[in-house]
Amino acid sequence: MGDVLAGIHAAWEFESDALVIRFERGIRTPKLYQVLRERRVPYEALASVTLTPGKRGTVVLHAVPRPGADPLMEAAAGQLKESSDPYRLVLPTDQETLAEYYRDELRALLPPEPEAAGAAGHGAGGPYDGLDGHGGPDGHGGLGGPDRGGVLDALGGAEDPYGAGGAVAPAERFLVAPPSGPLSFKAYDGKASFDGRAEVSFRWFWTGASSEKWKAGDQTFSVRDLCGIEWRSPDVFDGHLRLLARDGGPRPTQPDHDPASVVFGLGYGLVHESLPFAAAVLAAIRSSDRAPVPVGSRTPGAVAERIRHLGELHRAGLVTDEEFSTKKAELLAEL
């Protein structure tokens, strides 16, 4: 058990090789924090630590993860609101001296940084770092703005996602474990499910899915056939989760027409539900690149369910007799 620094909604415990972040579960705690509950972050997964003035008599201690180190932050791609950034610890100003001490102690445990990083506010010119009052040059804790692209592949990630200016080398693999849940959530047009290892499935809602998705039928994707994900926050226009196929074939421009996407709407695909899901899928994709996951044939029950759904589409006149026969034969061939 190491030293513990308790802040608002979270506490940091400093172990010999990692920073353990534990989140409160109170009613005022951000819902994403409540879902994450606890995160163990090896020191090698961090790029820097900053201390900046906060709002209403607070200071903010911010541990900035290395690009490519945390699947949650890679999936978020700079779209998280400042209040939901799990790497920020908000403290009352009367704990400023204590925060300075732990900032310096934590920095001493981080891997050496290139000299260029000194220009990004890592110097010792005073109690606060050379950033604005919200922990980052754009007011989002150094994570970039919500208009950054949310496209992540299994090999790299968004270019310079944490404002490091290229000074910090990206991690070669994920160093922080993905969130443990939720592994299913309701989007506006369907339910997304992940078995935690090998398959992602989308089951459409007749009340929200487009005719293109109904015609394609419920979808199941093997993780090993995917190269990445695209998560667009539900807090912005056109929020969605899109799965990116490894073959790189053409896809509809609009996620609403793409059977490899689910779209978000008012009350659907909320950040604390869809982002951990996206991070877990992204981590599985990265793992499949290093050690392919064996995936067997579809179970008879799963095939029967898809044939049943196909029959509903046929009876509703959404697929022709020829399309029904062809697709049914393809499904039977998977057994």
Side-chain angles (χ1 to χ4, degrees), residues 191-214:
K191 181 179 180 181
S193 301
F194 178 41
D195 66 4
R197 180 171 172 266
E199 288 190 341
V200 182
S201 61
F202 296 158
R203 182 167 184 174
W204 309 122
F205 297 153
W206 69 269
T207 52
S210 64
S211 58
E212 290 86 354
K213 291 183 177 180
W214 272 111

Side-chain angles (χ1 to χ4, degrees), residues 201-295:
S201 61
F202 296 158
R203 182 167 184 174
W204 309 122
F205 297 153
W206 69 269
T207 52
S210 64
S211 58
E212 290 86 354
K213 291 183 177 180
W214 272 111
K215 193 168 184 178
D218 293 343
Q219 300 291 300
T220 300
F221 304 88
S222 171
V223 165
R224 64 180 178 181
D225 294 332
L226 303 175
C227 69
I229 61 96
E230 176 184 283
W231 181 79
R232 187 72 169 174
S233 173
D235 295 332
V236 298
F237 186 68
D238 285 341
H240 62 266
L241 171 64
R242 191 196 301 261
L243 304 179
L244 306 179
R246 193 175 296 278
D247 60 19
R251 66 173 189 243
T253 302
Q254 295 296 326
D256 185 45
H257 300 161
D258 185 358
S261 302
V262 288
V263 299
F264 307 149
L266 185 62
Y268 293 93
L270 300 174
V271 170
H272 68 279
E273 298 175 338
S274 61
L275 179 57
F277 181 99
V281 173
L282 182 61
I285 294 171
R286 184 77 62 89
S287 296
S288 72
D289 279 351
R290 297 177 178 275
V293 178
V295 181

Side-chain angles (χ1 to χ4, degrees), residues 64-76:
V64 183
R66 288 172 60 190
D70 183 348
L72 182 80
M73 304 308 285
E74 288 292 291

Side-chain angles (χ1 to χ4, degrees), residues 110-133:
L110 303 185
E113 299 180 39
E115 292 183 4
H122 303 291
Y128 298 116
D129 299 290
L131 302 173
D132 70 8

